[in-house]
Amino acid sequence: MSDTLSTFEFFQKFPNEETARQFFEARRWNDEPVCGHCGSVSVAECKDHKPMPYRCKDCRKHFSVRTGTVLAESRLPLLKWLLAIYMLTSARKGIPSTQMARELGVTQKTAWFLAQRIRETWMSGKGNGDMGDHTQVDETYVGGKEKNKHADKKLRAGRGAVGKTAVVGIRDQHGEVRAMPVECTDGTTLVGFIKDNAPEGATVVTDEFKSYRSLPKHGFDHKTVRHSAGEYVRNMAHTNGIESFWSLLKRGYIGVYHYMSTDHLHRYVNEFSFRHNTAKAGTMNFINMTIDRMDAKRLTYRELING
């Protein structure tokens, strides 16, 4: 079977809820149930799997493969969770909750909440620390144009990036991308982001934005590409890699999601970077990596809508 799983192959692999449950259990427990409450492996399987499939002999609580994960308290079948993860990895530019709702047979609200919980698991996949000795850094702005907003939504504060949220990103020489929304693009914020991700002494290529000028003082070899002068490559130094990632993010924003709330923008940005960084992993590996990150994750609807 190829690394990319077709929809037909997906349903061959997971024809029913039981196969989905067995798959989750094998991935999370390696087929040896572990209590999601106390971590004990002294468990008993319940007859008819009611009220839950397993009961811990130590803490005496019932549990399932959902317990202690982002799946907890979810009434959706595990097969629908798997299908949702599959759809999110298959759609390079993302998938709107309206389409996910139609394909899963749930409400748009349920599909949106489901997708946000999956994105929440990917947040634990964010890297930190050393990205190597050669990186590209750039910032962009995400949000709707002022002229397209309803009258009561317009800020009337100028042109350009008004009303948009800044996102800063870094890309290493192997193609890994890390990105996050920031409240401002001053030197303290942008240089701080670089210091969190690149080692001292690394070559950092940026455009001529003034906030990057202090990089040499912080021990970085700073190379600048002057976009304002029509320069995009200088002695093999460029920011084309991170800019191509921005293009993908913007196409997802404009063509798929249409709107990304400021409160949830960090999840959407991380979704695109996580999918970008795992593009060559293959469908099943992507699903496995997602399940691996579900442990000890919890996101309630109340927490979600309150930002």
Side-chain angles (χ1 to χ4, degrees):
M1 188 176 292
S2 64
D3 288 340
T4 301
L5 204 67
S6 69
T7 305
F8 180 77
E9 290 169 326
F10 175 88
F11 284 111
Q12 278 188 317
K13 192 174 184 67
F14 305 109
N16 51 45
E17 179 67 6
E18 181 62 15
T19 54
R21 181 185 69 84
Q22 292 174 357
F23 178 76
F24 269 101
E25 290 186 1
R27 187 66 197 177
R28 188 181 179 204
W29 295 331
N30 197 23
D31 289 326
E32 183 179 3
V34 179
C35 178
H37 300 290
C38 69
S40 172
V41 293
S42 179
V43 304
E45 190 168 357
C46 299
K47 186 179 180 180
D48 299 327
H49 284 197
K50 293 181 180 179
M52 285 188 175
Y54 304 98
R55 181 177 180 272
C56 178
K57 293 180 180 179
D58 288 334
C59 71
R60 300 184 178 183
K61 294 180 180 179
H62 289 89
F63 67 95
S64 73
V65 72
R66 300 171 185 257
T67 306
T69 74
V70 76
L71 302 163
E73 309 299 327
S74 171
R75 297 180 182 179
L76 278 179
L78 293 173
L79 183 58
K80 291 193 177 185
W81 272 91
L82 271 180
L83 183 55
I85 297 170
Y86 170 78
M87 286 190 285
L88 281 169
T89 180
S90 300
R92 189 162 180 262
K93 290 183 287 187
I95 181 171
S97 57
T98 49
Q99 182 181 342
M100 183 178 286
R102 287 193 300 271
E103 299 198 20
L104 292 177
V106 298
T107 65
Q108 184 273 333
K109 177 180 175 180
T110 297
W112 180 78
F113 184 28
L114 172 60
Q116 294 290 24
R117 280 182 288 181
I118 293 171
R119 293 184 183 106
E120 183 71 11
T121 69
W122 294 340
M123 295 298 292
S124 63
K126 291 200 300 184
N128 52 57
D130 191 353
M131 284 192 79
D133 295 327
H134 197 285
T135 61
Q136 305 169 19
V137 177
D138 193 28
E139 75 291 335
T140 191
Y141 293 87
V142 175
K145 295 180 180 179
E146 282 288 288
K147 67 177 183 179
N148 294 337
K149 294 182 181 179
H150 192 274
D152 62 358
K153 299 289 184 182
K154 291 183 178 181
L155 299 179
R156 296 182 175 83
R159 301 171 61 187
V162 171
K164 297 185 179 184
T165 303
V167 179
V168 61
I170 184 170
R171 183 183 188 273
D172 71 12
Q173 58 188 342
H174 303 295
E176 180 185 346
V177 168
R178 297 175 192 169
M180 61 178 286
V182 290
E183 291 187 2
C184 63
T185 56
D186 59 10
T188 300
T189 301
L190 298 187
V191 173
F193 172 78
I194 295 169
K195 290 171 71 174
D196 286 342
N197 290 283
E200 186 176 344
T203 297
V204 180
V205 184
T206 74
D207 58 21
E208 69 269 40
F209 188 41
K210 62 182 181 180
S211 295
Y212 297 119
R213 292 175 186 170
S214 65
L215 279 172
K217 296 180 182 178
H218 294 274
F220 294 101
D221 178 16
H222 184 208
K223 297 188 181 302
T224 304
V225 179
R226 299 177 59 206
H227 288 174
S228 62
E231 181 182 60
Y232 291 89
V233 178
R234 175 188 289 184
N235 297 326
M236 299 303 291
H238 60 82
T239 56
N240 297 346
I242 187 65
E243 287 169 12
S244 67
F245 175 74
W246 294 147
S247 297
L248 184 64
L249 177 65
K250 296 289 183 70
R251 288 199 298 273
Y253 177 94
I254 297 169
V256 177
Y257 293 118
H258 308 305
Y259 173 73
M260 295 177 182
S261 164
T262 303
D263 291 335
H264 306 300
L265 181 60
H266 61 293
R267 293 191 184 91
Y268 287 106
V269 170
N270 189 68
E271 171 192 349
F272 279 86
S273 58
F274 184 73
R275 191 161 45 225
H276 170 87
N277 294 338
T278 57
K280 298 179 181 179
T283 307
M284 288 311 303
N285 284 336
F286 186 95
I287 292 174
N288 288 336
M289 285 187 286
T290 302
I291 293 175
D292 292 345
R293 286 169 168 77
M294 287 183 168
D295 201 29
K297 280 285 182 177
R298 185 74 192 280
L299 181 65
T300 66
Y301 191 75
R302 182 182 295 275
E303 290 170 340
L304 189 59
I305 61 175
N306 288 337

